[in-house]
Amino acid sequence: MLCRNILAPVLAGLLLASAPGRATSATYPQLVATRYAKGASLPEGVSRPSPSFDFVDRSKLPEGLKVLSAARAANGRIWVLTEDGPFRSTEAGYERLEVGPRHPEPGQQQVPWNTKIKTLTADRLGQLWVGTDRGVFLCDGDQWWQKLGRLDGVPYENVNCLHLAPGGDVWAGTPEGAWRLRDGVFQYFWGLRWLPDNEVQAVWTDAKGRTWLETKTGVACIEDLPTTLAEKAAHFDRIVQERHSRRGYIAAIDLKTPGDVSRGAVFDVSDNDGLWTSMYVGAQALRFGATKDPAARREAQRSMSALLDLERLSGIPGFPARAIVTDEEVAAGVNGFTPTDKVHAPGETARVWYRSATHPNLWCKGDTSSDELDGHYFAWYLYHDLVADQGEKAEIAAVVRRVTDGILKNDYTLIDHTGRKTRWGIWTPELINEHPLYYDLRALNSIEILMFLKVAEHITGDRKYAEAADRLIQDHHYLLNTLLMRRHEGGRWADINHSDDELLYLCYYPLLMLEKDPAKRRILVQSIARTWEPIEGEQSIRAERSPLYNFIYGASTGRRCDVEDARETLREWPWDLVAWTTKNTQRHDIRIRHEPGHRRINTVLDRVLSPAERTQARWNADPWRADWGGDGRREDDGVAWTLSYWLGVYHGFLTSQE
């Protein structure tokens, strides 16, 4: 049975005209994995090499020993690994090899006496590469042993096999996946995204530059195919259009067979249909703004219409439902719809799903959160300014006015079908400034409502929204509240809510792009800088190397952002959008942090790893988390990537050709 990560056949067809292996100046190497179950046919000409080691004089070894690996050093001495341990050639034959130097030179590293040699090979210079259970040692065949281990960045030191590829890469197979060393940088491969299982027993490369890894249950092919970020964006967009659009609503899908998108999927009617669809609208609006591609306008248009329908079809003027689903969709089967579910708020007994009063074949989900509205206003702003014609601008303005007027009428709260405020739709000063149960909403919700009012003023032209914002600023210190974001305990890594970070930056972008008053901008730029720049004792967003946060910070403030870090994250993002389980707590090159805090996950890594070493996730997930994933049961929509990419292109941090 052949099991492919979905990148391989599509990308290979697009890019075979390019030279294999290494990217050109206009491309970068996109990692691709194809998995083959044990016994499955491999491509023609591919088989595990069977070296003869004919330079080893077996007659001088103890009788009957099987040679597992062997190598000749520059000094002519031959090292041999057998079932009975390692040997080294002498003038008379072979002697047992003692691990480490016999007469260490000053400053030379010690090698523990019980280090077990598990494999060895030699490079073109005659330097020996010795794989052990304590890392890799580079040896001259005599006295010099130089360790390459965890302090050098080796992800896992217990090495089963080594391969020195012709292009300069070093590959190692381990009991916990594989790693590659290229140009001084280690890449770790673990889990079903890359391998049939994690017990890697052999590694080799073929004439096309592809790397093959044999495991207990199969074989994997990992290769670099030259591509561009523009091609990656087109690939993700194809996936969205083929599998992730439910009448314009964009969300992840649940796969019927884990890891296999060809066997069908079920739509997920998400709590965050509005937010995820808004981010897709924003991505396509920015794409259209940068390229004027009619396809971008068409896709943005469809999802914007769906987004507006969350309010237009809810049966409650000014209230955007969390999600809507038709009777036909329910009959066909969707996840996330349970009509008996209750509103998740203290003391509530009402059901969260209700029938639309104006469209009886529709179920609407109430209890819409501030998260959803952050997305709506973000998308309304971008679509209005970059895509909409005059008729569409009028439609958007009407919805914006109804929603914003509803919030103002109800004392800065969002009222749903229950006639009561939703659990998180709260921006009123009496609660976020004064109530002990709501004060932790103060910073983010102050930024949210100032953004809502700024976008409403911009789209409708009505000064009453600016006046409402000024009252919140002057009478209730909402502008000063924005300086509290991620401060004190909120800046401790164990207390950070990464979902709030995503919402925060979706709010910062329209607010800072539209705010021209120098006095207000002075505070707002300080607010975003306070979350971005490293501060002693607090964890900043900058360390996450997110292209979305990088480009929003740079575009909205005019200050320098880390474009190369952002570009690297976009390039390393897996082409396969399946949410495979990833595990990193077993690694030797990281440290685990433990600390009590308010969040549920209080065990994280000491640094943010490459997205190729993490599960598929949006920006609301914790990128510091060590172990996570869904065993391939879900496919993401890629919008976290595409929004970041098109934001970078639109604002000139990236080109549309790279």
Side-chain angles (χ1 to χ4, degrees), residues 463-612:
R463 280 287 304 164
K464 73 177 181 183
Y465 302 117
E467 292 166 1
D470 285 342
R471 286 194 296 275
L472 291 174
I473 290 170
Q474 293 163 9
D475 299 341
H476 303 285
H477 52 79
Y478 269 41
L479 191 61
L480 299 183
N481 286 352
T482 71
L483 297 174
L484 296 172
M485 197 66 206
R486 267 178 166 252
R487 294 201 68 166
H488 310 305
E489 284 196 0
R492 293 172 60 250
W493 69 263
D495 294 322
I496 289 171
N497 184 331
H498 293 274
S499 179
D500 283 359
D501 290 342
E502 179 181 64
L503 303 175
L504 176 67
Y505 272 65
L506 293 181
C507 291
Y508 275 140
Y509 180 74
L511 184 55
L512 281 164
M513 297 301 292
L514 291 172
E515 185 56 73
K516 305 304 179 188
D517 183 338
K520 294 176 182 175
R521 278 192 63 83
R522 180 184 299 123
I523 302 298
L524 291 172
V525 171
Q526 175 61 17
S527 173
I528 190 173
R530 187 63 179 68
T531 71
W532 176 259
E533 298 294 347
I535 294 175
E536 183 68 27
E538 299 177 11
Q539 182 170 288
S540 76
I541 285 178
R542 188 174 193 168
E544 297 176 9
R545 305 169 71 239
S546 160
L548 180 68
Y549 301 154
N550 263 286
F551 296 148
I552 286 178
Y553 181 74
S556 64
T557 67
R559 299 180 65 176
R560 184 181 68 83
C561 63
D562 300 327
V563 175
E564 285 307 311
D565 282 352
R567 180 181 284 113
E568 188 172 86
T569 296
L570 291 170
R571 288 177 170 179
E572 293 180 358
W573 200 278
W575 191 286
D576 176 358
L577 293 176
V578 173
W580 297 107
T581 295
T582 55
K583 184 170 176 280
N584 289 289
T585 46
Q586 77 283 359
R587 291 174 64 157
H588 297 145
D589 63 328
I590 55 90
R591 289 184 175 89
I592 302 294
R593 297 187 293 176
H594 304 269
E595 187 173 342
H598 297 151
R599 314 305 305 161
R600 287 172 291 178
I601 304 299
N602 297 117
T603 301
V604 299
L605 300 171
D606 62 342
R607 69 179 189 276
V608 172
L609 299 173
S610 162

Side-chain angles (χ1 to χ4, degrees), residues 97-215:
L97 175 64
E98 296 179 6
V99 174
R102 293 182 179 180
H103 306 289
E105 299 178 17
Q108 188 174 2
Q109 293 175 319
Q110 294 295 315
V111 180
W113 65 271
N114 58 347
T115 298
K116 182 181 179 181
I117 294 178
K118 302 179 70 176
T119 187
L120 53 89
T121 188
D123 61 24
R124 186 179 59 79
L125 302 176
Q127 298 170 135
L128 300 180
W129 292 68
V130 182
T132 78
D133 60 351
R134 296 172 183 265
V136 176
F137 289 86
L138 278 69
C139 306
D140 63 357
D142 190 16
Q143 281 286 98
W144 191 258
W145 290 64
Q146 178 69 44
K147 183 176 180 178
L148 189 66
R150 65 187 67 195
L151 297 181
D152 304 292
V154 170
Y156 201 78
E157 289 187 341
N158 189 0
V159 172
N160 288 337
C161 51
L162 280 171
H163 175 67
L164 306 181
D169 291 349
V170 179
W171 282 87
T174 83
E176 285 284 356
W179 52 259
R180 181 188 70 186
L181 173 60
R182 170 180 289 177
D183 300 331
V185 177
F186 287 90
Q187 177 88 50
Y188 187 51
F189 302 87
W190 188 96
L192 290 172
R193 175 185 287 154
W194 307 110
L195 304 165
D197 66 84
N198 293 306
E199 180 72 44
V200 180
Q201 300 170 337
V203 185
W204 70 95
T205 50
D206 63 19
K208 295 182 179 180
R210 299 176 297 187
T211 302
W212 297 85
L213 304 97
E214 185 172 300
T215 73

